[in-house]
Structure formats: structure tokens, C-alpha cells
Amino acid sequence: MGSGRRDFGQFGEKLERHIERLPDYAQRAQEAFQRYFPADRTPGAAGSAPNPLRRPAPPRPPSMADVPVFAEVRARWARWNEPAAKLQRRKRRTSRLLTLWIVLTLLSGLYAFALGVGLIGAGGLGAAAEGIVGAIVFGALGVRSGLHLYRLSRVELPASTAPPPLPSPRSAAREPMERLAEGESSLAELLRQLTASSSVPDESVEDARETAAKAAKALRALAARIEAIERAQAAAPAGERKALATAVGTLREQLDEGLDDYGTLVAAAGRAVAASGSGLTSSKDALTDATDRLAGLAIALHELS
């Protein structure tokens, strides 16, 4: 009896272990099924049924970047620390100091003149000495500030390598701008490889780079328009918000279409990199065609803005 109970207990333990591993078995079976019978549609796409055997993805822990207030504060702090913003603040401070020294120099000169001609006090050159000294001191400080402002106006800032700030997480333009940032990073790497391989003429690579930069600028201008309309929508009366929401939806469609064309250029650059060692010319021609198409898009978006 003891041996039978022990055998039954061991059997129960093994059964429990197998039951706990059932989800793993189901996952392996599903992967094998997809390997031999691939589906035309990816799981989770429109029209496909959810897979009951697949374990749900663990929820992503919330981050500070997902909170709109913190995202806005971080964006403002980044704009405050930009080299161009710092230079502009220095110019403003120097300009204000220059104005102050000029005013004080004029007042000191008038004071010295009034003392010298006797409008104030007994008159004479000795009485005007204080005003003359003040005019000289403030005039020297004014000349110094003017030279400093001249040097600041001739400062050339290096090209910023930091990516432009993204729109607010609540904005409809946030997700397209994230896609644009990823596309820019991928395209920069692909064009660098094309330049290094010398498989595509440098003129074509440079045209693609300049066209992509112009298109990205136009797309960001369109995203800025969306943000402006969204701010107006938040402050508008309830009866006006529907029309503004429709305008945001229309601009979002244009933004998505522009990003699709930008993705076409990225894909063409990828095909050109793949064909760089095989001597094929079709992918290189596709890069030129995608560049021309993106150039037309950039012109159209620029006219709209």
C-alpha cells in the first residue's frame, strides 16, 4: 500500500508539472504550425482572430516621458539649453547694457554741460568735472558693450546634431514625428554606407540627403500646424471644436501620406545598399525615382504651409 501511495504521489507531481508547462507546449506548437503553414496576415492585424494560445505581452511599465506635463517640461528645458537660445539671450543682455551705458553717458554729458554754463551751481570747468568723468566712464563701458555685441553677432553656431523635440504626447502629430525620427536615423546610416561603397554616384546620394532634409522640414512644419490647431481647439468654444478636429484629421492624413513617401525613400536606399555589391542598377534607379517623388512632396508641403 505504501509503495502504491508513493507511486501515485509521484505521478500526481509529474502531472502537475506537465499542467504548468501546458502554455509552453502550446506556444511551441503554434510556432511549429506557423513555420509549416505561414499565414498571410500577421497576428493582431485587421481581420485576423487573436491567438488564444499565445501568452499576452506583459504590460509596459509607465515612464515619466508618458506624462504630458513632464514631457512638456523636458521639451522646454531642451529648448532653453540649445546653443542658439543661449546666444540669443547673451545678445539681448548685451544690447540692454549697451542701451543703459548710452543713456547714462548722455545724462552725464548734459549734467556736465549744465554745471559748466552755470545752469546748476556756480559754473566753470571745475564744477563740470564730475559730469565729464561720468560721461567718460559710461562712454567707455558703452564702447566695450558695443564691441562685445558685434563679436556675438559674428558667432557661427555649429550644426546641431540633437534631434528636434517631439510634439506633446497628447498631440496627433506625436506618433508620426516618432516615425520620422526613426526614418531619418535609418536613412542617414544607409546613405553613409552608400557613400562608403561608392556604388552610387555621390551626386545621387547628396541629392537624396538634401531632399530628405527638405521633406523632413516640411513634415515638421505640418506637425507644428497640427499642434497649433490643437491648442486653438482646447481654447475654442464647444461649437467650434468639431470643425477644428476635422482640420486636425485632414492634416494628419497628409502627414501620414508624407511619411509613407519618406519611407519609400528609406526602402529605396536599403535596396541600393543591398545591390551595391551585385552590380544591379534597378535599385539604384529606384533611389533616384524615390528622391524625385520626395522632392515633389517637399515642394507641395512647403506651398501648403
Side-chain angles (χ1 to χ4, degrees):
M1 291 293 293
S3 177
R5 291 179 180 177
R6 186 166 56 252
D7 294 339
F8 183 80
Q10 293 176 354
F11 175 78
E13 292 175 358
K14 292 181 180 179
L15 181 60
E16 290 178 357
R17 286 197 299 268
H18 285 292
I19 291 175
E20 291 176 354
R21 298 183 63 181
L22 277 178
D24 295 334
Y25 295 152
Q27 178 68 22
R28 295 176 184 175
Q30 179 65 19
E31 292 175 354
F33 181 83
Q34 291 181 351
R35 185 164 58 250
Y36 291 103
F37 302 97
D40 293 334
R41 292 173 296 184
T42 57
S48 60
N51 183 6
L53 300 179
R54 187 178 297 276
R55 288 181 176 179
R60 183 175 63 89
S63 61
M64 300 296 288
D66 296 332
V67 182
V69 175
F70 288 103
E72 182 66 22
V73 170
R74 186 175 61 179
R76 290 184 178 181
W77 178 255
R79 290 193 296 267
W80 174 268
N81 287 322
E82 288 180 355
K86 291 181 179 179
L87 179 62
Q88 191 63 29
R89 290 196 298 270
R90 292 179 63 187
K91 287 181 178 179
R92 284 198 301 266
R93 289 195 298 265
T94 306
S95 178
R96 291 169 183 172
L97 280 176
L98 177 61
T99 302
L100 175 62
W101 300 139
I102 291 175
V103 171
L104 291 177
T105 300
L106 293 176
L107 291 178
S108 298
L110 292 175
Y111 181 66
F113 176 79
L115 288 175
V117 300
L119 296 177
I120 302 175
L125 183 61
E130 295 180 1
I132 294 174
V133 171
I136 293 174
V137 172
F138 293 134
L141 292 174
V143 171
R144 182 180 178 184
S145 296
L147 292 175
H148 185 49
L149 182 61
Y150 175 75
R151 288 193 296 268
L152 289 176
S153 64
R154 296 178 62 86
V155 171
E156 294 183 1
L157 294 174
S160 177
T161 57
L166 293 173
S168 170
R170 295 173 295 182
S171 175
R174 175 61 179 252
E175 188 268 339
M177 289 299 97
E178 290 178 343
R179 289 170 51 196
L180 177 61
E182 295 176 358
E184 285 180 315
S185 177
S186 301
L187 182 62
E189 176 61 23
L190 292 170
L191 295 180
R192 186 191 65 80
Q193 294 186 16
L194 286 176
T195 303
S197 64
S198 300
S199 58
V200 177
D202 294 339
E203 294 80 6
S204 299
V205 176
E206 191 60 29
D207 288 343
R209 184 178 288 109
E210 292 180 359
T211 302
K214 292 178 181 179
K217 183 178 179 181
L219 290 172
R220 288 193 170 93
L222 189 58
R225 291 178 60 190
I226 292 177
E227 286 190 285
I229 296 176
E230 288 174 339
R231 287 191 293 268
Q233 182 182 2
E240 302 290 338
R241 293 180 181 178
K242 185 176 180 180
L244 294 175
T246 303
V248 169
T250 302
L251 293 178
R252 172 60 191 269
E253 292 178 359
Q254 296 178 3
L255 192 58
D256 290 335
E257 292 176 359
L259 285 169
D260 290 340
D261 290 337
Y262 195 95
T264 301
L265 178 61
V266 176
R271 290 193 296 270
V273 171
S276 60
S278 60
L280 299 178
T281 60
S282 58
S283 295
K284 303 171 189 177
D285 295 338
L287 177 63
T288 303
D289 295 340
T291 302
D292 295 339
R293 179 178 177 183
L294 194 61
L297 171 70
I299 295 174
L301 291 176
H302 181 72
E303 292 177 353
L304 286 175
S305 59

